[in-house]
Amino acid sequence: MSRHASAIVKRMQFNNLLIIASVTLVMTTLLSVLMYVDAKKEQVARAETLAHLLVQNLQPALLFQDDTMLQQGLSVLSQQHEILNAQIYDVQGVLRNAYRHPDSRVLAAPKFVLNDYQNNWLELWSRLYTVMPVRNVAANGELLGQLVLTTDMAEPREEILFEIASIFFIGLCSFLVMAYRLQKLAEPMEAMLTSMRRVMPAHDETIGLPVKQRKDIGDITDVFNAMVVEIEQRDAALSLELAQRKAAEAQLEITAKYDVVTRLPNRHAFNSEIELAYKRFVAAHSNFALMFIDLDNFKYVNDNFGHNAGDLLLLSVGERIRHLLRAEDFVARIGGDEFVVIVHNFSELEQVSRIAEKIIEQLRKPFVLGENEAFIGASIGITTCPKHCAVFSELVRQADSAMYLAKKMGKNNFQYFHDGLAADVEARVKMEGELRHALERHEIAAHYQPIVSLHNQHIIGFEALLRWTLEDGTIIEPEQFVPLAEEIGLIADIGGFVLDQAIAQTKIWQALHPDIYTAVNFSPRQFRDRRLAGKLLETLSKADLAARHIEMEITESVLMKNTADSIALLKELHAAGMHIAIDDFGTGYSSLSYLTQFPAHKLKIDKSFVAKLPHDTQALAIVTAIVGLAHALNLTVVAEGIETQAQLESLQKLGCQLGQGFLFSKAMTAELASDMLTHRVALVA
Ligand code: C2E
Ligand code: MG
Ligand code: MG
């Protein structure tokens, strides 16, 4: 037991001893007194009874002054061993006779005056005196004398002493048992104090409540106070740490769930969301669509305008998509230029398609990044649940494959996942491999579609259009393989090939038809080559063909994507005498400002508008506007895709000068084109 605890325990033991000792003492005294009183009563009663009997026997002997009878009367006392002696006095107080127990050393009792005698306590402790009057019963109780009995109190005294010793012994035993129990009780208290002391650091006397009245309680107070202070300090440190940890956790949660650049949820958050959507589907059959969006051209923006601009662009993309969605839908950025959208509870697939269309439309619009303007696009793959969610874990892969297909389909479009998609993708991969060898195998050829004057239907030129004929005779349309060629970097070779073919062919035609020209399509990718104009003019000069015999067809996207460089390149070609036509006019950004900035000669009205003529008022209005604009800017208008006489007449009425379409001729081989040229010109002539 330690120094600190012993004080309190010792104190407790001392108190215990004191209490038990006091109790034992009080009890012993009380019991002794009670027993003494009891014993006295008993002894007095016994002695009086005996005296009474004796007095009755002795009364006649005393009346008749018969000493022998008195002697005999007293001798019965020899049976009573506790009677030490007895004296009988007459009425004059003269001792008439006496008895003494053989063992008694007490000779005689003192002489008492009758009726004056009272037993006193002290006497009673060693011996008891009983004084009894002897009366004449026959003569009205006349007093004859008195009997004095001396009773020995040794026996009851020993009895009392024994009982007192017993009580004292019991008291002692209780004390020992209590002391032992207290010791046992003190042990856990000591353990408690020790552990409290361990909780507190160095014993600091200045800390604590102002309680220090008693050493024992003071010990506990000290330890307790120190412990309370320590707990308070630890509490404060703990709550500070907790607050810091909570703040860090909140920050961590944000970083764990949100993308820093777009502030949209990240891949991790997306995984939870898609799982939740699936659970909702299982529980309540609520459907959902998953869209995988991949930006087209993002790398170009990043490489040319810098990463800050790239980040700004991603932020705007996120905002544009978010604005298109309902509050319950979900959008996340899950990778570099990859976003996902979850459309919850759509009513019909059409609704999902509309959202995809809107996203594509929004992302095609220019992005202002500081001083720059950037153009990107989006390819979207979509999968839907419950149609395709039999295997939940496959959902993301499905949307990804559909997106891959959308990319292969020429970007800026969306594709739904379907069961044959894998085969489609495989077919495209196969096509990619074959396209790489198509040129050397001479599978690709330039076909020519006549461009006629709508005024007299004379052939005034041709448009060179690519055709890819496979070994088995299958013809693949340029819309299928041109985007693929762009993507795998083959478009420069293919473009060069068409140009060579067109120049060589036009050179031949030009001999007979001095004003003939051939329009050649150029894809935006070809404009990345800064030496394009130089190479083109060099090829022309090698073939000895004037630049005016070749017309360059470009789409609006060329102008939007490579503004400054493109304008310089086009100006160079224009200066050399080459004509430039804007293809598919009306379907692109239709920003008219660029028309005044670079040298265009022609606008080619997209066939989608022509197809709706003459009845569709909207198409009519667009065509009318394009023709009006062209006239105002002094540009020639070419209508594509004229298939009917009605379309032709309508276009003629609107003042469209040139046209091409199946009404006149499809694209055909150089040979057939040459024949037609000869035939038609000859015919018209
Ligand atoms: P484009 O330059 O707008 O070519 C016109 C397209 O309309 C051609 O499709 C042509 O066959 C088609 N067409 C002409 N008249 C009609 C008609 O009356 N009705 C209909 N429905 N269609 C008609 P094609 O040959 O499939 O070419 C598609 C696109 O592929 C071209 O559109 C062009 O953008 C691209 N392309 C073709 N050849 C080349 C090329 O050598 N280089 C590049 N970069 N792109 C090419
Ligand atoms: Mg064209
Ligand atoms: Mg076109």
Side-chain angles (χ1 to χ4, degrees), residues 449 463-467 477-479 482 486 491 498 520-523 526 553 583-584 604 607 640-643 660-663 665 667:
Q449 184 180 38
E463 178 175 2
L465 294 164
L466 282 170
R467 293 292 176 264
E477 300 295 316
E479 249 144 19
V482 167
E486 286 189 345
I491 197 65
V498 182
V520 179
N521 292 286
F522 280 80
S523 92
Q526 289 173 273
E553 283 196 12
D583 206 353
D584 303 340
K604 293 190 81 172
K607 57 181 177 282
E640 291 180 333
I642 305 170
E643 291 184 359
Q660 56 186 108
F662 297 165
L663 181 66
S665 171

Side-chain angles (χ1 to χ4, degrees), residues 303-431:
D303 292 349
N304 288 275
F305 300 144
H307 287 271
N308 281 348
D311 284 357
L312 260 176
L313 180 101
L314 290 172
L315 180 68
S316 312
V317 167
E319 278 169 0
R320 284 187 195 182
I321 298 175
R322 181 72 264 178
H323 273 112
L324 286 171
L325 302 174
R326 300 166 302 174
E328 68 256 43
D329 296 333
F330 176 86
V331 55
R333 179 186 172 222
I334 58 164
D337 61 351
E338 291 172 346
F339 291 78
V340 282
V341 165
I342 299 173
V343 180
H344 294 291
N345 284 322
F346 61 87
S347 47
E348 51 193 19
L349 213 56
E350 184 59 29
Q351 193 189 343
V352 180
S353 301
R354 267 205 309 279
I355 294 172
E357 266 165 18
K358 277 188 196 163
I359 292 174
I360 290 170
E361 192 185 304
Q362 280 301 314
L363 299 187
R364 273 169 82 133
K365 289 183 179 166
F367 287 85
V368 180
L369 310 170
E371 288 176 359
N372 299 303
E373 230 185 14
F375 293 89
I376 55 157
S379 301
I380 304 179
I382 311 170
T383 191
T384 54
C385 192
K387 197 171 178 195
H388 292 294
C389 66
V391 186
F392 165 67
S393 56
E394 287 285 285
L395 278 174
V396 176
R397 202 195 52 77
Q398 291 168 359
D400 188 51
S401 324
M403 187 278 293
Y404 186 68
L405 182 70
K407 272 224 184 290
K408 298 282 178 196
M409 295 295 276
K411 302 175 178 176
N412 270 324
N413 72 98
F414 64 91
Q415 296 293 326
Y416 279 99
F417 173 81
H418 56 86
D419 291 329
L421 190 83
D424 284 7
V425 171
E426 200 180 303
R428 283 206 74 92
V429 172
K430 194 174 161 225
M431 187 194 278

